[in-house]
Amino acid sequence: MPKRTSPKDARRVEVADDLDEIVTDKREGWRATAAKARRRQRRYAKQLTHELTCMARDDEDDT
C-alpha cells in the first residue's frame, strides 16, 4: 500500500507536472464514489501547493 501524501512531499516537487505524480491517496479504492476520490486528490494537491508557496516565501526571506 502506498504512503499517503504529506506536506513534507512538497520538497520533491521541481516542476508543476511533478505534483500529479506525487499526490497519492492510499485509500482511493476504498472511497464510496469516484467523486469523493477526486475531491480527496484535490485536497492533497492543495496542501502541497500551499506548502510550496510557504517554502518559496521562506526562501525569499532568507535572501
Side-chain angles (χ1 to χ4, degrees):
M1 183 179 306
K3 183 179 156 252
R4 203 165 57 187
T5 305
S6 78
K8 293 178 184 178
D9 293 334
R11 294 185 184 110
R12 297 182 9 209
V13 175
E14 292 181 15
V15 293
D17 291 334
D18 291 345
L19 190 63
D20 293 332
E21 296 173 11
I22 292 174
V23 174
T24 57
D25 179 9
K26 72 176 189 176
R27 296 180 181 98
E28 185 176 10
W30 301 349
R31 303 283 178 210
T33 62
K36 288 185 179 184
R38 283 192 305 272
R39 190 178 313 144
R40 189 67 209 169
Q41 293 294 82
R42 282 195 310 267
R43 185 170 295 161
Y44 287 140
K46 183 178 178 181
Q47 287 176 349
L48 285 179
T49 305
H50 176 73
E51 186 65 25
L52 286 169
T53 56
C54 289
M55 288 171 48
R57 229 181 282 136
D58 290 343
D59 288 344
E60 287 178 2
D61 291 342
D62 290 343
T63 56

